[in-house]
């Protein structure tokens, strides 16, 4: 079992793993999209991909790290975005080898730390991370906002948003309904 940095020459071996990873997260099978996405990341140097191989040289897993920054520490870090091991190779040590290789790569590249998120229900992965010294963040919550989804589809129109000097802006209070009316008036929602 080995884990090593992947190159563009490994694309045809990594892409099926990435496609399977996306399917695990309920995305439709789409090898062409998976291949193009990874090709773009590797060609542009936008991510680091590690490839796990078994003793016969078969590709059995990968992880992908994105370089980002921690503003508070004013240091570069890696976001370990993707980690996948084929079902047949699970419990073989491939996941552990990938995580250890990611840690070594992070140190070699001068990263302060690595961060990752995982499903609350993925207890197997959580145990693996804890066993390797990863600490669960009990201070910060993660929020996401899908771009392009109209506010009225995700917010209660009767709630009130209050910004109390956040980020140095003046204090204001506006209802979600007022925000939606303004967005519609500007045509941002296609006049809905």
């Amino acid at each position: 079992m080995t884990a090593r940095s992947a190159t563009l020459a490994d694309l045809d071996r990594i892409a099926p793993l990435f496609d399977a990873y996306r399917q695990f997260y309920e995305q439709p099978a789409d090898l062409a999209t998976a291949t193009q996405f990874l090709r773009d990341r590797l060609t542009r140097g936008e991510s680091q991909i590690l490839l796990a191989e078994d003793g016969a040289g078969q590709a059995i897993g990968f992880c992908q790290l994105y370089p980002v920054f921690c503003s508070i520490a004013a240091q570069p870090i890696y976001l370990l975005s993707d980690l996948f091991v084929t079902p047949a190779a699970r419990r073989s040590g491939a996941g552990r080898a990938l995580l250890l290789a990611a840690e070594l790569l992070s140190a070699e590249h001068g990263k302060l730390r690595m961060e990752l998120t995982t499903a609350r229900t993925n207890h197997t992965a959580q145990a693996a991370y804890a066993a390797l010294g990863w600490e669960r963040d009990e201070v910060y919550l993660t929020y996401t906002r899908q771009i392009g989804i109209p506010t009225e589809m995700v917010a209660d129109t009767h709630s009130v948003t209050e910004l109390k000097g956040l980020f140095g802006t003046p204090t204001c209070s506006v209802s979600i309904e007022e925000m939606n009316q303004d967005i519609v008036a500007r045509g941002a929602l296609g006049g809905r």
Side-chain angles (χ1 to χ4, degrees), residues 11 15 31-41 44:
L11 184 61
L31 185 58
T33 295
T35 301
Q36 187 60 52
F37 183 85
L38 292 178
R39 178 181 290 116
D40 290 347
R41 302 296 73 74
R44 297 175 187 163

Side-chain angles (χ1 to χ4, degrees), residues 47-132:
S47 73
Q48 295 289 323
I49 301 175
L50 298 169
L51 176 63
E53 299 168 312
D54 65 13
Q58 294 287 353
I60 58 172
F62 81 99
C63 77
Q64 183 164 213
L65 301 135
Y66 293 103
V68 296
F69 295 90
C70 173
S71 298
I72 295 169
Q75 295 284 325
I77 63 174
Y78 269 140
L79 170 64
L80 196 159
S81 180
D82 313 320
L83 176 65
F84 179 78
V85 175
T86 61
R90 292 185 184 151
R91 301 208 178 271
S92 69
R96 178 182 173 84
L98 286 165
L99 288 167
L100 292 173
E103 187 173 341
L104 180 61
L105 184 72
S106 296
E108 289 173 354
H109 289 186
K111 305 303 180 187
L112 176 67
R113 67 173 180 262
M114 293 182 291
E115 293 183 352
L116 63 79
T117 59
T118 191
R120 292 181 188 274
T121 57
N122 194 344
H123 301 290
T124 302
Q126 292 171 34
Y129 301 140
L132 289 174

